[in-house]
Amino acid sequence: MLDGTTKKETSAVTPVTLAATLGRRERSGPQLALRQFARNKAAFAGAMVLALLVIGSVAAPVVAPFDPIQISLANKLVPPTPAHLLGTDYFGRDQMSRVLYGGQVSLYVGLLVVVIAAAVGVPIGLVAGFIGGRVDNLLMRLMDALLTFPPLLLAVAIVGSLGADIQNVMLALGIVNIPIFARLVRGSTLALREEVYVEAARALGASPLRIVFLHILRNAVAPIVVQMTVTFSSAIISEASLSFLGLGAQPPTPSWGRDLNEARRFLEDAPWLLIAPTAVIMLSVLSVNFFGDGLRDALDPRSWRDEGKRMKATRAVQD
Amino acid sequence: MRGSATYLLQRLVQVPLVLVVVTMIVFALVHVTPGDPIQIMLGMETSPQAVEALRQQYNLDKPLPEQYAIWVANAVRGNLGSSIRQHVPVTQMIAERFPISLRLAAVAMLFALLIAIPAGIFSALWRNTWLDYALTGLSIGGLSIPNFALALLLIYAFAIKFDWFPITGIGSAVTSEGGLWGAVGPYILPAVALGVQQTAIVTRMLRSNLLDVLTQDYVRTAHAKGLSDRKVIVGHALKNAIIPVVTVVAIQFGYLVGTTITIEFIFAIPGLGSALLEAVVNRDFPVIQGFTLLMAAFFIVANLVADLLYTIIDPRINYA
């Protein structure tokens, strides 16, 4: 979505001939993909930042300078100082520590949302695309119905009915994202179903299950992985929104969205409370998106050569 | 054109079908889960008789399929029930609150287009210059900041630090008394916060569409006959590049109306979103149901309008 200019052109260059020109030595597919990924500076930076965020939140008990929950009214609303690098909130809690611990909630929710959505959506897409006919129609109409909700609205309705709780937020956001995976995988399955190697497998007597999981799913993995990164970053924003509205993480649990709600009440006296949660939300969304963009390019061998072609095309336009 | 008509008719027939599924999902969700609205409404220390009487009044004592049937039968006659909490017909709440959300979304979209169309054109016109990079950076930032965080930053900057914009007043009496500024002022900050994401989407899209169109033969012809870069873009390329944007605008508008919740919450705007949030907290079933039905219907219609606009603007498109 960020870069509409990546035009995929079909070319006859296989990874092997590419390897021959690039490195004079044949490399495996994953090796090539990794090489391609490492060359993409934005993607590499995204991966590094993401790694830092994950390490920071996982290691929060070790890294965080203070207890994120312990109330200390003597220190309330302290502006950023060397002791409290990001200041303290109304209850005197160190913002730095809360942001680090808050990552545990946000990143964990993001991860589980992706797992839920993919675990349910991918099989639905595979079944609908492979079997087709009435089953396909029924499943896809159901997915369409789910897609007619603006996602946040549906999530609010689901969380509202299940009760305000971080577990329910995960479940709601997972459900909201199921149709996206289902449609994506159904599309790939419809195309892959007609591939010669699938026909060959069928002719050899492979069972439908074997065909679906071994031949079709394996070749549909790249777009699924890319979609996972997109879903991950949107889940982080949605979780923050729901927690901000008081429907997600409950106090005193540190949470980026929830802490912004607290910050809202002391905007005038403690504007520094706004900065850290906003910055970490943006950083995680950005890093995941750059990571995903890089992944998409690295996993699609056809785009590797496009770089040169596209530059030529732009130059032609400019001349 | 005939093919398109049939296609649109097919889509139109699907609308009630999708709405039935949508309402069933919401109905099941709201009712299967624990939490009795009557108990919440009356508090814990009421007689069981009073609770039972109210449950009967709202048909909550009937089996679930029957409740759904009753609700659908009433809904098609334009009766969406009454709020358990506020004792007001849901349709009346919609009539009061929907225009406010709609206006907010419209101002947000207007803001988005006012910024995004020039930004997209400049980005394509001066591609790979510092201006393009700056606009791209801003767009990516706009896509990654949650709208409520942006809203808080805007409030701090423009309402607290510099007292330039009012932050409350939408839907209140002040609005009608304060003249033009009184009417428009309160919408500006919420609409900007709400519309930034759409600004980014439209900018990125217009830029890449323009760059795509610029590689086409007729653009080269226009260049060949000696037209300047600017004339080619505004006079020739823009016409084709803007078609997909129109569709996105229609879809995004439907989306905006459904995502005003956080913004309405921050700015205390009495629109659909804030009412829905309140209803969710109080488990006010009829309100949740009626509002989600309305928003889903609006979203579907926005998508249909997008399709329709597409065929009208671009005669080459035929869905047959």
Side-chain angles (χ1 to χ4, degrees):
Chain A
M1 190 169 66
L2 287 180
D3 187 11
T5 52
T6 22
K7 258 214 138 166
K8 269 153 212 127
E9 289 157 55
T10 343
S11 65
V13 176
T14 63
V16 179
T17 55
L18 186 71
T21 38
L22 281 181
R24 282 168 293 279
R25 188 163 68 84
E26 283 186 24
R27 289 166 208 272
S28 69
Q31 267 178 323
L32 279 170
L34 202 67
R35 231 175 94 119
Q36 187 69 21
F37 184 84
R39 275 193 191 152
N40 186 336
K41 279 183 210 134
F44 195 71
M48 289 296 114
V49 172
L50 185 64
L52 270 180
L53 285 166
V54 172
I55 293 171
S57 57
V58 171
V62 186
V63 193
F66 293 91
D67 186 312
I69 293 170
Q70 185 69 46
I71 292 172
S72 143
L73 290 177
N75 289 320
K76 78 174 184 185
L77 298 181
V78 175
T81 56
H84 298 282
L85 280 176
L86 300 173
T88 64
D89 67 7
Y90 183 70
F91 298 101
R93 299 174 300 201
D94 181 52
Q95 268 299 294
M96 179 79 165
S97 311
R98 284 190 69 80
V99 163
L100 286 168
Y101 274 95
Q104 292 183 347
V105 176
S106 292
L107 300 175
Y108 179 64
V109 170
L111 187 71
L112 273 187
V113 166
V114 169
V115 169
I116 294 173
V120 183
V122 170
I124 290 181
L126 283 173
V127 168
F130 192 71
I131 298 180
R134 221 175 259 173
V135 178
D136 180 26
N137 230 324
L138 181 77
L139 286 173
M140 283 305 120
R141 285 299 85 75
L142 194 68
M143 294 298 113
D144 282 349
L146 278 177
L147 273 179
T148 55
F149 285 105
L152 189 66
L153 177 73
L154 181 57
V156 166
I158 296 176
V159 174
S161 16
L162 297 178
D165 175 56
I166 198 71
Q167 234 99 34
N168 295 337
V169 166
M170 272 183 236
L171 197 62
L173 293 177
I175 294 174
V176 169
N177 283 294
I178 289 173
I180 298 171
F181 281 92
R183 287 184 79 141
L184 177 80
V185 173
R186 173 182 175 265
S188 320
T189 309
L190 281 179
L192 293 171
R193 196 169 65 164
E194 310 299 332
E195 291 283 339
V196 183
Y197 59 79
V198 171
E199 210 181 315
R202 203 176 287 141
L204 285 170
S207 71
L209 268 181
R210 193 183 159 86
I211 293 176
V212 164
F213 284 100
L214 204 66
H215 298 285
I216 293 185
L217 183 58
R218 189 189 274 179
N219 285 291
V221 156
I224 296 175
V225 169
V226 173
Q227 181 57 45
M228 281 174 148
T229 62
V230 175
T231 302
F232 186 79
S233 64
S234 82
I236 289 176
I237 289 195
S238 305
E239 182 273 329
S241 305
L242 290 169
S243 290
F244 178 75
L245 291 173
L247 297 174
Q250 297 300 319
T253 314
S255 144
W256 299 340
R258 181 79 217 179
D259 283 6
L260 279 173
N261 190 350
E262 305 258 311
R264 178 179 73 103
R265 295 159 53 203
F266 306 104
L267 261 189
E268 207 154 342
D269 305 317
W272 60 85
L273 293 178
L274 259 184
I275 306 303
T278 308
V280 282
I281 293 174
M282 286 185 73
L283 264 183
S284 35
V285 171
L286 279 176
S287 61
V288 174
N289 282 344
F290 280 132
F291 177 69
D293 278 355
L295 217 53
R296 183 182 54 205
D297 291 342
L299 291 177
D300 181 4
R302 276 169 306 190
S303 74
W304 295 353
R305 257 180 84 259
D306 273 6
E307 210 52 49
K309 262 195 188 167
R310 201 191 313 156
M311 278 162 70
K312 246 185 246 163
T314 338
R315 235 176 287 136
V317 168
Q318 278 165 334
D319 290 343
Chain B
M1 210 44 211
R2 204 177 174 76
S4 318
T6 336
Y7 170 79
L8 286 172
L9 207 68
Q10 274 176 355
R11 289 280 311 267
L12 214 57
V13 172
Q14 279 184 2
V15 171
L17 214 73
V18 173
L19 284 182
V20 167
V21 180
V22 165
T23 50
M24 273 171 122
I25 294 174
V26 175
F27 206 85
L29 260 167
V30 171
H31 285 263
V32 169
T33 48
D36 186 340
I38 306 292
Q39 203 74 61
I40 295 175
M41 178 168 76
L42 293 175
M44 283 305 157
E45 289 162 33
T46 40
S47 70
Q49 287 86 351
V51 172
E52 204 44 49
L54 264 177
R55 286 179 66 85
Q56 272 175 17
Q57 188 191 327
Y58 287 100
N59 291 320
L60 290 172
D61 55 336
K62 304 227 168 63
L64 208 54
E66 201 181 329
Q67 284 188 42
Y68 182 69
I70 293 173
W71 184 77
V72 170
N74 284 327
V76 292
R77 289 188 213 114
N79 176 8
L80 291 172
S82 291
S83 162
I84 294 177
R85 188 84 178 177
Q86 306 187 16
H87 312 288
V88 183
V90 173
T91 42
Q92 187 191 326
M93 290 178 77
I94 289 176
E96 283 165 9
R97 288 164 175 273
F98 195 37
I100 295 174
S101 295
L102 217 52
R103 216 172 300 147
L104 178 62
V107 180
M109 205 63 201
L110 195 70
F111 161 78
L113 292 179
L114 278 178
I115 305 286
I117 290 178
I121 294 175
F122 289 155
S123 239
L125 204 56
W126 284 290
R127 59 200 159 270
N128 303 331
T129 64
W130 64 269
L131 181 74
D132 182 23
Y133 294 140
L135 288 172
T136 302
L138 279 176
S139 305
I140 293 174
L143 282 174
S144 58
I145 192 166
N147 60 14
F148 60 90
L150 181 65
L152 295 178
L153 288 171
L154 289 174
I155 291 178
Y156 180 71
F158 295 112
I160 295 179
K161 269 279 152 186
F162 305 99
D163 189 13
W164 291 349
F165 298 100
I167 50 169
T168 52
I170 292 182
S172 70
V174 188
T175 323
S176 41
E177 285 164 15
L180 184 68
W181 181 243
V184 178
Y187 278 98
I188 294 177
L189 290 186
V192 170
L194 189 60
V196 156
Q197 204 187 357
Q198 276 64 32
T199 313
I201 292 174
V202 175
T203 306
R204 301 295 300 158
M205 196 174 170
L206 189 58
R207 176 187 184 274
S208 72
N209 288 349
L210 271 172
L211 289 183
D212 263 5
V213 171
L214 285 179
T215 60
Q216 297 203 350
D217 288 345
Y218 76 93
V219 170
R220 194 186 304 149
T221 311
H223 272 298
K225 73 178 186 187
L227 289 185
S228 69
D229 228 20
R230 192 187 318 165
K231 276 203 175 131
V232 172
I233 287 198
V234 177
H236 296 252
L238 191 60
K239 261 187 212 162
N240 276 311
I242 211 140
I243 290 173
V245 174
V246 173
T247 326
V248 164
V249 167
I251 293 172
Q252 288 292 329
F253 189 66
Y255 185 81
L256 268 180
V257 172
T259 38
T260 55
I261 304 175
T262 43
I263 298 297
E264 290 187 10
F265 172 70
I266 293 177
F267 292 93
I269 298 168
L272 282 183
S274 50
L276 181 69
L277 189 63
E278 207 177 301
V280 154
V281 172
N282 294 321
R283 306 188 57 78
D284 197 337
F285 296 162
V287 177
I288 300 178
Q289 215 119 63
F291 279 27
T292 39
L293 174 69
L294 173 76
M295 288 180 178
F298 189 79
F299 195 60
I300 296 171
V301 171
N303 276 290
L304 264 175
V305 169
D307 273 358
L308 193 65
L309 280 176
Y310 217 55
T311 51
I312 292 175
I313 297 174
D314 191 344
R316 285 170 303 182
I317 292 170
N318 198 338
Y319 287 113

